[in-house]
Coordinates of all heavy atoms in Angstrom, one line a residue:
M286 N 25.0 -15.0 -7.0 CA 23.7 -15.6 -6.5 C 22.8 -14.5 -6.0 O 23.3 -13.7 -5.2 CB 24.0 -16.7 -5.5 CG 22.7 -17.3 -5.0 SD 23.0 -18.5 -3.6 CE 22.9 -20.0 -4.5
A287 N 21.6 -14.5 -6.4 CA 20.7 -13.5 -5.9 C 20.3 -13.7 -4.5 O 20.2 -14.9 -4.1 CB 19.4 -13.4 -6.8
S288 N 20.0 -12.7 -3.8 CA 19.5 -12.8 -2.4 C 18.1 -13.3 -2.4 O 17.4 -13.3 -3.4 CB 19.6 -11.5 -1.7 OG 18.6 -10.6 -2.2
T289 N 17.6 -13.8 -1.3 CA 16.2 -14.2 -1.2 C 15.3 -13.0 -1.6 O 14.4 -13.2 -2.3 CB 15.9 -14.7 0.3 OG1 16.8 -15.7 0.6 CG2 14.5 -15.1 0.4
F290 N 15.6 -11.8 -1.1 CA 14.7 -10.7 -1.4 C 14.7 -10.5 -2.9 O 13.6 -10.3 -3.5 CB 15.1 -9.4 -0.7 CG 14.4 -8.2 -1.2 CD1 13.1 -8.0 -0.8 CD2 15.1 -7.3 -2.1 CE1 12.4 -6.9 -1.4 CE2 14.4 -6.2 -2.6 CZ 13.1 -6.0 -2.2
E291 N 15.9 -10.5 -3.5 CA 15.9 -10.2 -5.0 C 15.1 -11.2 -5.8 O 14.4 -10.9 -6.7 CB 17.4 -10.2 -5.4 CG 18.1 -9.0 -4.9 CD 19.6 -9.1 -5.2 OE1 20.2 -10.2 -5.2 OE2 20.3 -8.1 -5.3
T292 N 15.2 -12.5 -5.3 CA 14.5 -13.6 -6.0 C 13.0 -13.4 -5.8 O 12.2 -13.5 -6.8 CB 15.0 -14.9 -5.5 OG1 16.4 -15.1 -5.7 CG2 14.3 -16.1 -6.2
V293 N 12.6 -13.2 -4.6 CA 11.2 -13.0 -4.3 C 10.6 -11.8 -5.0 O 9.5 -11.8 -5.6 CB 10.9 -13.0 -2.8 CG1 9.4 -12.6 -2.5 CG2 11.3 -14.3 -2.1
A294 N 11.3 -10.7 -5.0 CA 10.9 -9.5 -5.7 C 10.7 -9.7 -7.2 O 9.8 -9.3 -7.8 CB 11.9 -8.3 -5.4
G295 N 11.7 -10.5 -7.8 CA 11.6 -10.8 -9.2 C 10.3 -11.7 -9.5 O 9.6 -11.5 -10.5
I296 N 10.0 -12.6 -8.6 CA 8.8 -13.5 -8.8 C 7.6 -12.6 -8.7 O 6.7 -12.7 -9.5 CB 8.8 -14.6 -7.7 CG1 9.9 -15.6 -8.0 CG2 7.5 -15.3 -7.6 CD1 10.2 -16.6 -6.8
I297 N 7.5 -11.7 -7.7 CA 6.3 -10.9 -7.5 C 6.2 -10.0 -8.7 O 5.1 -9.8 -9.3 CB 6.4 -10.0 -6.2 CG1 6.3 -11.0 -5.0 CG2 5.4 -8.9 -6.2 CD1 6.6 -10.3 -3.7
S298 N 7.3 -9.4 -9.2 CA 7.2 -8.5 -10.3 C 6.7 -9.2 -11.6 O 5.8 -8.7 -12.3 CB 8.6 -7.9 -10.6 OG 8.6 -7.0 -11.7
S299 N 7.3 -10.4 -11.9 CA 6.8 -11.0 -13.1 C 5.4 -11.6 -13.0 O 4.7 -11.7 -14.0 CB 7.8 -12.1 -13.4 OG 7.8 -13.2 -12.5
A300 N 5.0 -12.0 -11.8 CA 3.7 -12.6 -11.6 C 2.6 -11.6 -11.6 O 1.4 -11.9 -11.9 CB 3.6 -13.5 -10.4
S301 N 2.9 -10.3 -11.2 CA 1.9 -9.3 -11.0 C 2.1 -8.1 -11.8 O 1.3 -7.1 -11.7 CB 1.8 -9.0 -9.5 OG 3.0 -8.5 -9.1
D302 N 3.1 -8.0 -12.6 CA 3.4 -6.8 -13.5 C 3.7 -5.6 -12.6 O 3.4 -4.5 -13.1 CB 2.3 -6.6 -14.5 CG 2.2 -7.7 -15.5 OD1 3.2 -8.2 -15.9 OD2 1.0 -8.0 -16.0
I303 N 4.2 -5.8 -11.4 CA 4.6 -4.6 -10.6 C 6.0 -4.3 -10.9 O 6.9 -5.2 -10.9 CB 4.4 -5.0 -9.1 CG1 3.0 -5.2 -8.7 CG2 5.0 -3.9 -8.2 CD1 2.7 -5.8 -7.4
P304 N 6.3 -3.1 -11.2 CA 7.7 -2.7 -11.5 C 8.6 -3.1 -10.4 O 8.3 -2.9 -9.2 CB 7.7 -1.2 -11.7 CG 6.3 -0.9 -12.0 CD 5.5 -1.9 -11.3
L305 N 9.8 -3.7 -10.7 CA 10.7 -4.2 -9.7 C 11.2 -3.1 -8.7 O 11.3 -3.3 -7.5 CB 11.9 -4.8 -10.4 CG 12.8 -5.7 -9.6 CD1 12.0 -6.8 -8.9 CD2 13.9 -6.3 -10.5
E306 N 11.3 -1.9 -9.3 CA 11.8 -0.8 -8.4 C 10.8 -0.3 -7.4 O 11.1 0.4 -6.5 CB 12.3 0.4 -9.3 CG 11.2 1.0 -10.2 CD 11.2 0.2 -11.6 OE1 11.9 -0.7 -11.8 OE2 10.3 0.6 -12.4
R307 N 9.5 -0.7 -7.6 CA 8.5 -0.4 -6.6 C 8.5 -1.3 -5.4 O 7.9 -1.1 -4.4 CB 7.1 -0.5 -7.3 CG 6.0 0.0 -6.5 CD 4.7 0.2 -7.2 NE 3.6 0.1 -6.3 CZ 2.5 -0.5 -6.4 NH1 2.2 -1.2 -7.5 NH2 1.6 -0.5 -5.5
I308 N 9.1 -2.5 -5.5 CA 9.1 -3.5 -4.5 C 10.3 -3.3 -3.6 O 11.5 -3.3 -4.0 CB 9.2 -4.9 -5.1 CG1 8.0 -5.1 -6.1 CG2 9.2 -6.0 -4.1 CD1 8.1 -6.3 -7.0
T309 N 10.1 -3.1 -2.3 CA 11.1 -2.9 -1.3 C 11.0 -3.9 -0.2 O 9.9 -4.5 -0.1 CB 11.0 -1.5 -0.7 OG1 9.9 -1.4 0.2 CG2 11.0 -0.4 -1.8
P310 N 12.0 -4.0 0.6 CA 11.9 -5.0 1.8 C 10.8 -4.6 2.7 O 10.3 -5.5 3.4 CB 13.3 -4.8 2.5 CG 14.2 -4.4 1.4 CD 13.4 -3.5 0.5
D311 N 10.4 -3.4 2.8 CA 9.3 -2.9 3.7 C 7.9 -3.0 3.0 O 6.9 -2.6 3.7 CB 9.6 -1.5 4.2 CG 10.8 -1.5 5.1 OD1 11.0 -2.4 5.9 OD2 11.6 -0.5 4.9
S312 N 7.8 -3.5 1.8 CA 6.5 -3.6 1.1 C 5.7 -4.7 1.7 O 6.2 -5.8 1.9 CB 6.7 -3.8 -0.4 OG 7.4 -2.8 -1.0
H313 N 4.4 -4.4 2.0 CA 3.4 -5.4 2.4 C 2.8 -5.9 1.1 O 2.4 -5.1 0.2 CB 2.4 -4.8 3.3 CG 1.4 -5.8 3.9 ND1 0.5 -6.5 3.1 CD2 1.3 -6.2 5.1 CE1 -0.2 -7.3 3.9 NE2 0.3 -7.1 5.2
V314 N 2.9 -7.2 0.9 CA 2.5 -7.8 -0.4 C 1.0 -7.4 -0.8 O 0.8 -7.0 -1.9 CB 2.6 -9.4 -0.3 CG1 2.1 -10.0 -1.6 CG2 4.0 -9.8 -0.1
M315 N 0.1 -7.4 0.2 CA -1.3 -7.1 -0.2 C -1.6 -5.6 -0.1 O -2.2 -5.0 -1.0 CB -2.2 -7.9 0.7 CG -2.4 -9.3 0.3 SD -1.2 -10.3 1.3 CE -1.8 -11.9 1.1
K316 N -1.1 -5.0 1.0 CA -1.5 -3.6 1.3 C -0.7 -2.6 0.4 O -1.3 -1.7 -0.2 CB -1.3 -3.2 2.7 CG -2.2 -4.0 3.7 CD -1.9 -3.6 5.1 CE -2.7 -4.4 6.1 NZ -2.3 -4.2 7.5
D317 N 0.6 -2.8 0.3 CA 1.4 -1.8 -0.5 C 1.4 -2.2 -2.0 O 1.4 -1.3 -2.8 CB 2.8 -1.8 0.1 CG 2.9 -1.3 1.5 OD1 2.0 -0.4 1.9 OD2 3.7 -1.7 2.3
L318 N 1.6 -3.5 -2.3 CA 1.7 -3.9 -3.7 C 0.4 -4.3 -4.3 O 0.4 -4.5 -5.5 CB 2.7 -5.0 -3.7 CG 4.1 -4.7 -3.2 CD1 5.0 -6.0 -3.3 CD2 4.8 -3.6 -3.9
E319 N -0.6 -4.3 -3.5 CA -2.0 -4.6 -4.0 C -2.1 -5.9 -4.7 O -2.8 -6.0 -5.7 CB -2.5 -3.4 -4.8 CG -2.6 -2.1 -4.0 CD -2.9 -0.9 -4.8 OE1 -3.1 -1.0 -6.0 OE2 -3.1 0.1 -4.2
V320 N -1.4 -6.9 -4.2 CA -1.4 -8.3 -4.8 C -2.7 -8.9 -4.3 O -2.9 -9.0 -3.1 CB -0.2 -9.1 -4.5 CG1 -0.3 -10.6 -4.9 CG2 1.1 -8.5 -5.1
D321 N -3.6 -9.4 -5.2 CA -4.8 -10.1 -4.7 C -4.5 -11.5 -4.3 O -3.4 -12.0 -4.5 CB -5.9 -10.0 -5.7 CG -5.6 -10.7 -7.0 OD1 -5.0 -11.8 -7.0 OD2 -5.9 -10.2 -8.1
S322 N -5.5 -12.1 -3.6 CA -5.3 -13.5 -3.1 C -4.9 -14.5 -4.1 O -4.1 -15.4 -3.9 CB -6.4 -13.9 -2.2 OG -7.6 -13.9 -3.0
L323 N -5.6 -14.4 -5.3 CA -5.3 -15.4 -6.4 C -3.9 -15.2 -6.9 O -3.1 -16.2 -7.1 CB -6.3 -15.2 -7.5 CG -6.2 -16.3 -8.6 CD1 -6.4 -17.7 -8.1 CD2 -7.3 -16.0 -9.7
S324 N -3.4 -14.0 -7.1 CA -2.1 -13.7 -7.5 C -1.1 -14.2 -6.5 O 0.0 -14.7 -6.8 CB -1.9 -12.3 -7.9 OG -2.6 -11.9 -9.0
F325 N -1.4 -14.0 -5.2 CA -0.5 -14.4 -4.1 C -0.3 -15.9 -4.1 O 0.8 -16.4 -3.9 CB -1.0 -13.9 -2.8 CG 0.0 -14.1 -1.7 CD1 1.2 -13.4 -1.6 CD2 -0.3 -15.1 -0.7 CE1 2.1 -13.7 -0.6 CE2 0.6 -15.3 0.4 CZ 1.8 -14.6 0.4
L326 N -1.4 -16.6 -4.4 CA -1.3 -18.1 -4.5 C -0.3 -18.5 -5.6 O 0.5 -19.4 -5.5 CB -2.6 -18.8 -4.7 CG -3.6 -18.8 -3.6 CD1 -4.9 -19.4 -4.0 CD2 -3.0 -19.5 -2.4
D327 N -0.4 -17.8 -6.8 CA 0.6 -18.0 -7.9 C 2.0 -17.7 -7.4 O 2.9 -18.5 -7.7 CB 0.2 -17.2 -9.1 CG -1.1 -17.6 -9.8 OD1 -1.5 -18.8 -9.5 OD2 -1.6 -16.8 -10.5
I328 N 2.2 -16.6 -6.7 CA 3.5 -16.2 -6.2 C 4.0 -17.2 -5.2 O 5.2 -17.6 -5.3 CB 3.4 -14.8 -5.6 CG1 3.1 -13.7 -6.7 CG2 4.6 -14.4 -4.8 CD1 2.7 -12.4 -6.2
T329 N 3.2 -17.7 -4.3 CA 3.7 -18.6 -3.3 C 4.1 -19.9 -4.0 O 5.1 -20.6 -3.6 CB 2.7 -18.9 -2.2 OG1 1.5 -19.3 -2.7 CG2 2.5 -17.6 -1.4
F330 N 3.3 -20.3 -5.0 CA 3.7 -21.6 -5.8 C 5.0 -21.4 -6.4 O 5.9 -22.3 -6.3 CB 2.6 -21.9 -6.8 CG 2.9 -23.1 -7.6 CD1 2.8 -24.4 -7.1 CD2 3.5 -22.9 -8.9 CE1 3.1 -25.5 -7.9 CE2 3.8 -24.1 -9.7 CZ 3.6 -25.3 -9.2
E331 N 5.3 -20.3 -7.0 CA 6.6 -20.0 -7.6 C 7.7 -20.0 -6.6 O 8.8 -20.5 -6.8 CB 6.6 -18.7 -8.4 CG 5.8 -18.8 -9.8 CD 6.1 -17.6 -10.7 OE1 7.2 -17.3 -10.9 OE2 5.1 -17.1 -11.1
I332 N 7.4 -19.4 -5.4 CA 8.4 -19.3 -4.4 C 8.7 -20.8 -3.9 O 9.9 -21.1 -3.8 CB 8.0 -18.5 -3.2 CG1 8.0 -17.0 -3.6 CG2 8.8 -18.7 -1.9 CD1 7.3 -16.1 -2.6
D333 N 7.7 -21.5 -3.7 CA 7.9 -22.9 -3.3 C 8.8 -23.7 -4.3 O 9.7 -24.4 -3.9 CB 6.5 -23.7 -3.2 CG 5.7 -23.2 -2.0 OD1 6.2 -22.5 -1.1 OD2 4.5 -23.6 -2.0
Q334 N 8.5 -23.5 -5.6 CA 9.3 -24.2 -6.6 C 10.7 -23.7 -6.6 O 11.6 -24.5 -6.7 CB 8.6 -24.0 -8.0 CG 7.2 -24.6 -8.1 CD 7.2 -26.1 -7.8 OE1 7.9 -26.8 -8.5 NE2 6.4 -26.6 -6.9
K335 N 10.9 -22.4 -6.6 CA 12.2 -21.8 -6.7 C 13.1 -22.2 -5.5 O 14.3 -22.5 -5.7 CB 12.1 -20.3 -6.8 CG 13.4 -19.6 -7.0 CD 14.0 -19.8 -8.3 CE 15.2 -19.0 -8.5 NZ 15.8 -19.2 -9.8
F336 N 12.6 -22.2 -4.3 CA 13.4 -22.5 -3.1 C 13.3 -23.9 -2.6 O 14.0 -24.3 -1.7 CB 13.0 -21.5 -2.0 CG 13.4 -20.1 -2.3 CD1 12.4 -19.2 -2.7 CD2 14.7 -19.7 -2.1 CE1 12.7 -17.9 -3.0 CE2 15.0 -18.3 -2.4 CZ 14.0 -17.5 -2.8
G337 N 12.4 -24.8 -3.2 CA 12.3 -26.1 -2.8 C 11.7 -26.3 -1.4 O 12.1 -27.1 -0.6
I338 N 10.7 -25.4 -1.1 CA 10.1 -25.4 0.2 C 8.5 -25.4 0.0 O 8.1 -25.4 -1.2 CB 10.4 -24.1 1.0 CG1 10.0 -22.9 0.3 CG2 11.9 -24.2 1.3 CD1 10.2 -21.6 1.1
Q339 N 7.8 -25.4 1.1 CA 6.4 -25.2 1.0 C 6.0 -24.2 2.1 O 6.1 -24.4 3.3 CB 5.6 -26.5 1.2 CG 4.1 -26.3 1.0 CD 3.3 -27.6 1.0 OE1 3.9 -28.7 1.1 NE2 2.0 -27.5 0.8
L340 N 5.6 -23.0 1.6 CA 5.2 -21.9 2.5 C 3.9 -22.4 3.2 O 2.9 -22.7 2.6 CB 5.0 -20.6 1.8 CG 6.2 -20.0 1.2 CD1 5.8 -18.7 0.4 CD2 7.2 -19.6 2.3
P341 N 3.9 -22.3 4.6 CA 2.6 -22.7 5.3 C 1.6 -21.5 5.3 O 1.2 -21.1 6.4 CB 3.2 -23.0 6.7 CG 4.4 -22.1 6.8 CD 5.0 -22.0 5.4
V342 N 1.2 -21.1 4.2 CA 0.3 -19.9 4.1 C -1.0 -20.1 4.9 O -1.4 -19.2 5.5 CB 0.1 -19.5 2.6 CG1 -0.9 -18.3 2.5 CG2 1.4 -19.2 1.9
E343 N -1.6 -21.3 4.8 CA -2.8 -21.5 5.5 C -2.6 -21.3 7.0 O -3.5 -20.8 7.7 CB -3.4 -22.9 5.2 CG -3.9 -23.0 3.8 CD -4.5 -24.4 3.5 OE1 -4.9 -25.1 4.4 OE2 -4.5 -24.7 2.3
E344 N -1.5 -21.9 7.5 CA -1.2 -21.7 9.0 C -1.0 -20.2 9.3 O -1.5 -19.8 10.4 CB 0.1 -22.5 9.3 CG -0.1 -24.0 9.3 CD 1.3 -24.7 9.5 OE1 2.1 -24.1 10.2 OE2 1.5 -25.8 9.0
W345 N -0.3 -19.5 8.5 CA -0.1 -18.1 8.7 C -1.4 -17.3 8.8 O -1.6 -16.5 9.7 CB 0.8 -17.5 7.6 CG 2.2 -18.0 7.6 CD1 2.8 -18.8 8.5 CD2 3.2 -17.8 6.6 NE1 4.1 -19.1 8.1 CE2 4.4 -18.5 6.9 CE3 3.2 -17.1 5.4 CZ2 5.5 -18.4 6.1 CZ3 4.3 -17.1 4.6 CH2 5.5 -17.7 5.0
L346 N -2.3 -17.6 7.8 CA -3.5 -16.9 7.7 C -4.4 -17.2 8.9 O -5.0 -16.3 9.5 CB -4.3 -17.2 6.4 CG -3.7 -16.6 5.2 CD1 -4.4 -17.2 3.9 CD2 -3.7 -15.1 5.2
A347 N -4.4 -18.5 9.3 CA -5.1 -18.9 10.5 C -4.6 -18.2 11.8 O -5.4 -17.7 12.6 CB -5.1 -20.4 10.7
A348 N -3.3 -18.1 11.9 CA -2.7 -17.4 13.1 C -3.0 -15.9 13.1 O -3.4 -15.4 14.1 CB -1.1 -17.6 13.1
V349 N -3.0 -15.3 11.9 CA -3.4 -13.9 11.8 C -4.9 -13.7 12.2 O -5.3 -12.8 13.0 CB -3.1 -13.3 10.4 CG1 -3.7 -11.9 10.3 CG2 -1.6 -13.3 10.2
N350 N -5.7 -14.6 11.6 CA -7.2 -14.5 11.8 C -7.6 -14.7 13.3 O -8.6 -14.2 13.8 CB -7.9 -15.4 10.9 CG -7.9 -14.9 9.5 OD1 -7.7 -13.8 9.2 ND2 -8.0 -15.9 8.5
E351 N -6.8 -15.6 14.0 CA -7.0 -15.9 15.4 C -6.4 -14.9 16.3 O -6.5 -15.0 17.5 CB -6.5 -17.3 15.7 CG -7.3 -18.4 14.9 CD -6.7 -19.8 15.0 OE1 -5.7 -19.9 15.7 OE2 -7.1 -20.7 14.3
G352 N -5.7 -13.9 15.8 CA -5.0 -12.9 16.6 C -3.7 -13.4 17.3 O -3.2 -12.8 18.2
K353 N -3.2 -14.5 16.8 CA -2.0 -15.1 17.3 C -0.7 -14.5 16.7 O 0.4 -14.7 17.2 CB -2.0 -16.6 17.2 CG -3.1 -17.3 18.0 CD -3.1 -18.8 17.8 CE -4.2 -19.4 18.6 NZ -4.3 -20.8 18.4
A354 N -0.9 -13.9 15.6 CA 0.2 -13.3 14.8 C -0.3 -12.0 14.1 O -1.5 -11.8 13.9 CB 0.8 -14.3 13.8
N355 N 0.7 -11.2 13.7 CA 0.4 -10.0 13.0 C 0.7 -10.3 11.5 O 1.7 -11.0 11.2 CB 1.4 -8.9 13.5 CG 1.1 -7.6 13.0 OD1 0.6 -7.4 11.8 ND2 1.3 -6.6 13.8
G356 N -0.2 -9.8 10.6 CA 0.0 -10.1 9.2 C 1.4 -9.6 8.7 O 1.9 -10.2 7.8
E357 N 1.9 -8.5 9.3 CA 3.2 -8.0 8.9 C 4.3 -9.1 9.1 O 5.3 -9.1 8.5 CB 3.5 -6.7 9.6 CG 2.8 -5.5 9.0 CD 1.3 -5.4 9.4 OE1 0.9 -6.1 10.4 OE2 0.6 -4.8 8.7
D358 N 4.1 -10.0 10.1 CA 5.1 -11.0 10.3 C 5.3 -11.9 9.1 O 6.4 -12.5 9.0 CB 4.6 -11.9 11.5 CG 4.5 -11.2 12.8 OD1 5.2 -10.1 12.9 OD2 3.9 -11.7 13.7
Y359 N 4.4 -12.0 8.3 CA 4.5 -12.9 7.1 C 4.4 -12.2 5.8 O 4.9 -12.8 4.8 CB 3.3 -14.0 7.2 CG 3.3 -14.7 8.5 CD1 2.2 -14.6 9.4 CD2 4.3 -15.5 8.9 CE1 2.2 -15.3 10.5 CE2 4.3 -16.2 10.1 CZ 3.2 -16.1 10.9 OH 3.2 -16.8 12.1
F360 N 3.7 -11.1 5.7 CA 3.4 -10.5 4.4 C 4.2 -9.2 4.1 O 4.0 -8.7 3.0 CB 1.9 -10.3 4.3 CG 1.2 -11.6 4.5 CD1 0.4 -11.8 5.6 CD2 1.3 -12.7 3.6 CE1 -0.3 -13.1 5.8 CE2 0.7 -13.9 3.8 CZ -0.1 -14.1 4.9
V361 N 5.0 -8.7 5.0 CA 6.0 -7.7 4.6 C 7.2 -8.4 4.1 O 7.6 -9.4 4.7 CB 6.3 -6.8 5.9 CG1 7.5 -5.9 5.6 CG2 5.1 -6.0 6.3
L362 N 7.7 -8.0 3.0 CA 8.7 -8.8 2.3 C 9.9 -9.1 3.1 O 10.4 -10.2 3.0 CB 9.1 -8.1 1.0 CG 8.1 -8.2 -0.1 CD1 8.6 -7.5 -1.4 CD2 7.8 -9.6 -0.4
R363 N 10.4 -8.2 3.9 CA 11.6 -8.4 4.8 C 11.3 -9.7 5.6 O 12.1 -10.6 5.8 CB 11.8 -7.2 5.6 CG 12.9 -7.4 6.7 CD 13.1 -6.1 7.6 NE 12.9 -4.9 6.9 CZ 13.9 -4.3 6.1 NH1 15.0 -4.8 6.0 NH2 13.6 -3.1 5.6
N364 N 10.1 -9.7 6.2 CA 9.7 -10.8 7.1 C 9.4 -12.1 6.3 O 9.8 -13.2 6.8 CB 8.5 -10.4 8.0 CG 8.9 -9.2 8.8 OD1 10.0 -9.0 9.2 ND2 7.9 -8.5 9.2
L365 N 8.8 -12.0 5.2 CA 8.5 -13.1 4.3 C 9.8 -13.8 3.9 O 10.0 -15.0 4.0 CB 7.7 -12.7 3.1 CG 7.5 -13.8 2.0 CD1 6.6 -14.9 2.7 CD2 6.8 -13.2 0.8
C366 N 10.8 -13.0 3.6 CA 12.1 -13.5 3.2 C 12.8 -14.2 4.4 O 13.4 -15.3 4.2 CB 13.0 -12.4 2.6 SG 12.5 -11.8 1.0
M367 N 12.7 -13.7 5.6 CA 13.2 -14.4 6.8 C 12.5 -15.7 7.0 O 13.1 -16.7 7.3 CB 13.1 -13.5 8.0 CG 14.1 -12.4 8.0 SD 14.2 -11.5 9.6 CE 12.5 -11.3 10.1
Q368 N 11.2 -15.8 6.7 CA 10.4 -17.0 6.8 C 10.9 -18.0 5.8 O 11.1 -19.2 6.1 CB 8.9 -16.8 6.6 CG 8.3 -15.9 7.7 CD 8.1 -16.6 9.0 OE1 8.1 -17.9 9.1 NE2 7.9 -15.9 10.0
I369 N 11.2 -17.6 4.6 CA 11.7 -18.5 3.5 C 13.1 -19.0 3.9 O 13.3 -20.2 3.8 CB 11.7 -17.7 2.2 CG1 10.3 -17.4 1.7 CG2 12.5 -18.5 1.1 CD1 10.3 -16.4 0.5
D370 N 13.9 -18.1 4.4 CA 15.3 -18.5 4.8 C 15.2 -19.5 5.9 O 16.0 -20.5 5.9 CB 16.1 -17.3 5.2 CG 16.5 -16.5 4.0 OD1 16.5 -17.0 2.8 OD2 16.9 -15.3 4.2
G371 N 14.3 -19.4 6.8 CA 14.1 -20.3 7.9 C 13.7 -21.7 7.5 O 14.1 -22.7 8.0
L372 N 12.8 -21.7 6.5 CA 12.3 -23.0 5.9 C 13.4 -23.6 5.1 O 13.4 -24.9 5.0 CB 11.1 -22.7 5.0 CG 9.8 -22.3 5.8 CD1 8.8 -21.8 4.8 CD2 9.3 -23.5 6.6
R373 N 14.3 -22.9 4.5 CA 15.4 -23.4 3.7 C 16.6 -23.9 4.6 O 17.4 -24.7 4.1 CB 16.0 -22.3 2.8 CG 15.0 -21.9 1.8 CD 15.5 -20.7 0.9 NE 16.8 -21.1 0.3 CZ 17.6 -20.2 -0.2 NH1 17.4 -18.9 0.0 NH2 18.7 -20.6 -0.8
A374 N 16.7 -23.5 5.8 CA 17.8 -23.8 6.7 C 17.8 -25.3 6.9 O 16.8 -25.9 7.1 CB 17.7 -23.1 8.0
P375 N 19.0 -25.9 6.9 CA 19.1 -27.3 7.2 C 18.7 -27.7 8.6 O 18.9 -26.9 9.5 CB 20.6 -27.7 7.0 CG 21.3 -26.4 7.0 CD 20.3 -25.3 6.7
V376 N 18.0 -28.8 8.8 CA 17.5 -29.2 10.1 C 18.7 -29.8 10.8 O 19.3 -30.7 10.3 CB 16.3 -30.2 9.9 CG1 15.9 -30.7 11.3 CG2 15.2 -29.5 9.2
A377 N 18.9 -29.4 12.1 CA 20.0 -29.9 12.9 C 19.6 -31.3 13.4 O 18.4 -31.5 13.8 CB 20.3 -29.0 14.0
V378 N 20.5 -32.2 13.3 CA 20.2 -33.6 13.8 C 20.8 -33.9 15.1 O 21.9 -33.4 15.5 CB 20.8 -34.6 12.8 CG1 20.4 -36.0 13.2 CG2 20.2 -34.3 11.4

């Protein structure tokens, strides 16, 4: 079974024609990989479908724009994968 990072890197690579070897855990989706906002929406849709989640991208962007969070918290792949894993985790009852 592929890791979250491997799956997300594969989605980014296929959606944006970025060579897989160029994508690292420390890559910032927009700054380093130069993924534009429209492509990022396609990528997040594929991530949502693949993992059965819904990334709260609007909330993340609002938090960054309001100075409540750092963009790296959500858009550096290592951190994005942690966010995905957190959304996938079963909810304790």
